[in-house]
Amino acid sequence: MFNIGITGGIGTGKTTVCKIFEILGIPVFYADQAAKQVMHEDELLVEEIKSAFGASAYSRAGELDRKYLAGIVFNDEFQLERLNSLVHPAVFRAYDKWKGDQKASYVIKEAALLFESGSYKESDYNVVVTSPLELRIKRIMKRDGISVEQVKARMSKQMSEEEKVKLADFIVKNDESELLIPQVLDLHQTFLQLSKQSQ
C-alpha cells in the first residue's frame, strides 16, 4: 500500500489538511490518537509501561493513570524518551494493521513526531505543513486558551520547522494567503499518479 506521511509543527493546521484528504476519500491514520488507544489496547505495551514505570501506571480496572504517568515524564527528558521508545513501536504495529484493512489508492499517516519517531522512513513520500510563527501562536492560543509563553514552551519541545522542511518531499503552505484546497488537490493528483506508477 502506497503511503504518505504528513506532519507539521503545533498550530500549522496539519489536521485541517488531512480532513481535506479525507473528503477526497483518502483514509487517514492519526498517530497521536492511536498512541492514546494503544496505551489501553496493546497488551504488550501495557506490560512494558507497567514494567518501566510501575504497576501504578494503570488502575485495577486496567485504565491508564495519565496523571501518574505525566508526573513522571513531564519534566524529565530521559523518562519521556523512555515512554516514547515504548509507545512508538506500538503505534507502528497499529498502523501496519490499519493499513492492511484499507482499499484506497494510497493512505496517509498524520503524526506530530513523524520525523522524530523515525516513522517517516516507512513513508513513500512525506509532506510538511508550514505556517508563519505568529499565525501558529495565535491559532494555539485561541484553540487551547493558553498564553504566548505556554505556546512557546510547547513549540520549544518540537523539531523546528526548518529542520522538518529539509526532510520533506512536499510542502503545504497554510499561511492564509495561499489557498489550501488547491494545494491539497494538486498533491492528491500527484499521489494518485505516483501510486499507479508504484504498482
Side-chain angles (χ1 to χ4, degrees):
M1 171 68 74
F2 195 75
N3 67 113
I4 305 298
I6 290 190
T7 193
I10 184 173
T12 53
K14 58 188 176 298
T15 305
T16 304
V17 169
C18 287
K19 294 293 177 198
I20 301 169
F21 277 108
E22 285 185 296
I23 291 165
L24 297 169
I26 301 305
V28 179
F29 178 90
Y30 292 94
D32 295 353
Q33 286 174 19
K36 287 173 187 163
Q37 267 181 301
V38 294
M39 288 169 92
H40 289 287
E41 295 168 9
D42 187 306
E43 288 173 20
L44 173 62
L45 176 62
V46 170
E47 287 312 310
E48 286 174 335
I49 289 173
K50 283 181 186 173
S51 171
F53 301 101
S56 302
Y58 287 84
S59 71
R60 284 191 179 160
E63 287 294 306
L64 178 69
D65 187 336
R66 291 190 181 282
K67 229 176 188 173
Y68 170 83
L69 205 52
I72 295 172
V73 305
F74 190 67
N75 284 316
D76 189 325
E77 206 67 37
F78 171 76
Q79 296 288 16
L80 181 60
E81 277 301 310
R82 196 175 173 200
L83 179 62
N84 283 339
S85 73
L86 300 176
V87 175
H88 291 321
V91 174
F92 289 178
R93 291 193 292 273
Y95 177 60
D96 286 339
K97 185 178 180 300
W98 173 86
K99 197 167 64 170
D101 296 334
Q102 305 309 314
K103 301 283 182 279
S105 300
Y106 67 94
V107 296
I108 287 171
K109 179 183 192 179
E110 188 256 40
L113 302 176
L114 188 76
F115 295 124
E116 295 91 328
S117 69
S119 71
Y120 75 99
K121 293 171 187 167
E122 307 296 316
S123 309
D124 292 291
Y125 292 95
N126 292 292
V127 178
V128 168
V129 183
T130 66
S131 197
L133 185 62
E134 290 307 311
L135 191 53
R136 290 171 62 195
I137 290 170
K138 268 188 207 163
R139 281 183 193 141
I140 304 157
M141 284 172 70
K142 189 178 175 186
R143 184 189 74 193
D144 298 348
I146 58 175
S147 68
V148 176
E149 289 72 26
Q150 287 170 304
V151 174
K152 287 182 175 172
R154 283 191 196 177
M155 286 178 166
S156 71
K157 290 181 178 163
Q158 292 193 333
M159 183 188 277
S160 74
E161 194 165 90
E162 292 72 27
E163 288 175 279
K164 285 182 169 146
V165 164
K166 281 179 195 164
L167 292 166
D169 300 296
F170 298 95
I171 308 291
V172 171
K173 290 182 182 173
N174 186 15
D175 56 7
E176 294 186 356
S177 62
E178 285 193 53
L179 292 172
L180 206 50
I181 292 172
Q183 293 181 73
V184 175
L185 288 172
D186 283 349
L187 276 181
H188 178 57
Q189 291 307 320
T190 300
F191 295 149
L192 287 174
Q193 286 298 115
L194 290 167
S195 68
K196 270 185 199 160
Q197 289 165 18
S198 73
Q199 284 168 7

